[in-house]
């Protein structure tokens, strides 16, 4: 029985390690972990947490897919389309909207920490004008083969 318990304990630790999912002190980049990490910073400034919005998440997914299909990585598409057109297409009536992009990151802590060191990205995360967000994450890059993840965050606040 003791041997079986030890084997079970080893498997609990080894399976996530073998799958590359668990590294002590490192949080994998997922929409949920990015939202949680941004909200940690917002809490430090006594700001309300951002809430997940499914329309913004769908808009972020659409945005990422567009960048993949057209092989670009920019706040504006090659044909001049704004990232906010995706919000309108998902029926998100916004009074304020913003976008953070990032590529090549492996852990959530490093990703959000890098955004916090960039004035524009930091301003989006800490903006009182945004109450909701949607997040898309892919492996690699939208423009070429690459390591790490690419992330799109669309921030918003609905019109009253």
């Amino acid at each position: 029985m003791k041997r079986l318990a030890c084997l079970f304990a080893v498997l609990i630790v080894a399976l996530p390690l073998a799958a590359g999912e668990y590294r002590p002190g490192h949080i994998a980049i997922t929409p949920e972990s990015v939202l949680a990490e941004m909200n940690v910073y917002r809490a430090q400034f006594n700001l309300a947490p951002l809430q997940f919005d499914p329309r913004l998440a769908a808009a972020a997914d659409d945005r990422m897919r567009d960048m993949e299909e057209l092989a670009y990585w920019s706040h504006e598409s090659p044909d001049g389309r704004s990232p906010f057109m995706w919000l309108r297409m998902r029926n998100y009536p916004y009074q304020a909207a913003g976008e953070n992009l990032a590529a090549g990151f492996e852990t959530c802590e490093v990703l959000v920490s890098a955004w916090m060191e960039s004035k524009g990205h930091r301003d989006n995360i800490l903006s009182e004008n945004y109450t909701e967000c949607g997040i898309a994450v892919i492996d690699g890059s939208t423009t070429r083969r690459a390591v790490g993840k690419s992330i799109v965050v669309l921030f918003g606040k609905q019109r009253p």
Side-chain angles (χ1 to χ4, degrees), residues 18-132:
E21 296 173 2
Y22 177 77
R23 292 185 293 173
H26 299 285
I27 300 170
I29 296 173
T30 65
E32 297 80 13
S33 67
V34 173
L35 177 59
E37 191 73 11
M38 290 190 303
N39 281 334
V40 166
Y41 284 97
R42 287 178 66 89
Q44 292 172 5
F45 289 86
N46 297 314
L47 297 169
L50 292 166
Q51 301 298 312
F52 170 82
D53 184 275
R55 293 166 299 169
L56 290 174
D61 286 336
D62 294 342
R63 175 103 169 92
M64 185 75 82
R65 192 168 24 265
D66 184 66
M67 288 192 285
E68 285 181 295
E69 289 172 2
L70 298 179
Y72 72 98
W73 185 251
S74 176
H75 291 290
E76 187 174 286
S77 71
D79 57 4
R81 289 175 289 136
S82 157
F84 310 120
M85 74 165 251
W86 303 105
L87 280 65
R88 289 186 293 276
M89 291 176 64
R90 290 296 180 164
N91 298 315
Y92 185 87
Y94 63 91
Q95 72 179 35
E99 178 183 58
N100 278 8
L101 300 176
F105 287 89
E106 297 283 348
T107 68
C108 190
E109 303 94 331
V110 174
L111 162 69
V112 178
S113 175
W115 276 338
M116 293 303 289
E117 294 175 14
S118 163
K119 182 180 177 354
H121 295 103
R122 177 188 177 92
D123 289 350
N124 281 342
I125 292 169
L126 298 180
S127 177
E128 292 179 350
N129 293 326
Y130 304 139
T131 56
E132 302 167 315

